[in-house]
Amino acid sequence: MLRAARERAGLSQSQLGAATGIRRAYVHKLENSERCPSLVVAKALCGALTLSEDDANLLLSCAVDDAGRSHPARAAA
């Protein structure tokens, strides 16, 4: 779903990474289900891709809220 949404938006993996502040390699891993996004990254992807409500809900349901950019330790820093 993520790859299809990116392609519909006319963005390369690099462009999507730049728009969301993540690396192209991470976009690749997300598209290939090798990683789950943090909640912060999932929300950034939803915004950058202007996803439908259904697609946004699907992406957000896959997000991990205690890892990566969403980890509570980052908020304390």
Side-chain angles (χ1 to χ4, degrees), residues 4-76:
R6 177 182 56 78
E7 290 174 348
R8 275 194 308 273
L11 298 172
S12 68
Q13 289 180 343
S14 296
Q15 290 169 321
L16 179 58
T20 56
I22 62 176
R23 294 183 178 152
R24 185 214 55 84
Y26 188 53
V27 173
H28 174 80
K29 289 178 181 184
L30 292 171
E31 288 184 353
N32 289 297
S33 300
E34 295 173 25
R35 294 283 188 269
C36 292
S38 69
L39 188 56
V40 171
V41 169
K43 287 179 179 178
L45 290 167
C46 289
L49 295 170
T50 56
L51 297 178
S52 70
E53 185 176 344
D54 288 341
D55 283 346
N57 288 335
L58 177 61
L59 181 58
L60 291 171
S61 73
C62 296
V64 180
D65 65 358
D66 65 348
R69 293 188 182 178
S70 299
H71 195 280
R74 285 194 182 252

